[in-house]
PDB file of all heavy atoms in Angstrom:
ATOM      1  N   ASP R 299      -7.916  11.045  -3.901  1.00 98.00           N
ATOM      2  CA  ASP R 299      -7.587  10.970  -2.474  1.00 98.00           C
ATOM      3  C   ASP R 299      -8.220  12.155  -1.749  1.00 98.00           C
ATOM      4  O   ASP R 299      -7.797  13.299  -1.916  1.00 98.00           O
ATOM      5  CB  ASP R 299      -6.053  10.973  -2.329  1.00 98.00           C
ATOM      6  CG  ASP R 299      -5.615  11.105  -0.874  1.00 98.00           C
ATOM      7  OD1 ASP R 299      -6.373  10.680   0.027  1.00 98.00           O
ATOM      8  OD2 ASP R 299      -4.504  11.630  -0.646  1.00 98.00           O
ATOM      9  N   GLY R 301      -8.610  14.121   1.319  1.00 97.00           N
ATOM     10  CA  GLY R 301      -7.894  14.295   2.591  1.00 97.00           C
ATOM     11  C   GLY R 301      -8.428  15.446   3.429  1.00 97.00           C
ATOM     12  O   GLY R 301      -9.346  16.162   3.019  1.00 97.00           O
ATOM     13  N   ARG R 306      -6.774  15.261  -3.866  1.00 98.00           N
ATOM     14  CA  ARG R 306      -5.774  15.063  -4.921  1.00 98.00           C
ATOM     15  C   ARG R 306      -6.274  14.047  -5.937  1.00 98.00           C
ATOM     16  O   ARG R 306      -6.950  13.088  -5.563  1.00 98.00           O
ATOM     17  CB  ARG R 306      -4.481  14.514  -4.324  1.00 98.00           C
ATOM     18  CG  ARG R 306      -3.845  15.404  -3.269  1.00 98.00           C
ATOM     19  CD  ARG R 306      -2.746  14.632  -2.562  1.00 98.00           C
ATOM     20  NE  ARG R 306      -1.808  15.482  -1.858  1.00 98.00           N
ATOM     21  CZ  ARG R 306      -1.819  15.694  -0.536  1.00 98.00           C
ATOM     22  NH1 ARG R 306      -2.729  15.129   0.217  1.00 98.00           N
ATOM     23  NH2 ARG R 306      -0.915  16.468   0.031  1.00 98.00           N
ATOM     24  N   HIS R 486       2.442   6.648   6.933  1.00 98.00           N
ATOM     25  CA  HIS R 486       2.077   7.804   6.106  1.00 98.00           C
ATOM     26  C   HIS R 486       1.486   8.878   7.022  1.00 98.00           C
ATOM     27  O   HIS R 486       0.441   8.659   7.633  1.00 98.00           O
ATOM     28  CB  HIS R 486       1.057   7.362   5.058  1.00 98.00           C
ATOM     29  CG  HIS R 486       0.584   8.464   4.165  1.00 98.00           C
ATOM     30  ND1 HIS R 486       1.148   8.737   2.937  1.00 98.00           N
ATOM     31  CD2 HIS R 486      -0.398   9.369   4.332  1.00 98.00           C
ATOM     32  CE1 HIS R 486       0.525   9.764   2.388  1.00 98.00           C
ATOM     33  NE2 HIS R 486      -0.418  10.165   3.209  1.00 98.00           N
ATOM     34  N   GLY R 488      -0.302  12.359   7.439  1.00 98.00           N
ATOM     35  CA  GLY R 488      -1.049  13.426   6.783  1.00 98.00           C
ATOM     36  C   GLY R 488      -1.324  14.553   7.764  1.00 98.00           C
ATOM     37  O   GLY R 488      -0.567  14.760   8.722  1.00 98.00           O
ATOM     38  N   PRO R 649      -1.097   8.236  -1.647  1.00 98.00           N
ATOM     39  CA  PRO R 649      -2.411   7.583  -1.731  1.00 98.00           C
ATOM     40  C   PRO R 649      -3.039   7.679  -3.124  1.00 98.00           C
ATOM     41  O   PRO R 649      -3.512   6.657  -3.647  1.00 98.00           O
ATOM     42  CB  PRO R 649      -3.256   8.342  -0.697  1.00 98.00           C
ATOM     43  CG  PRO R 649      -2.266   8.932   0.254  1.00 98.00           C
ATOM     44  CD  PRO R 649      -1.066   9.262  -0.584  1.00 98.00           C
TER      45      PRO R 649
HETATM   46 MG1   MG M  90      -3.829  12.228   3.001  1.00 73.61          MG
END
Side-chain angles (χ1 to χ4, degrees):
D299 172 28
R306 301 169 161 101
H486 179 94

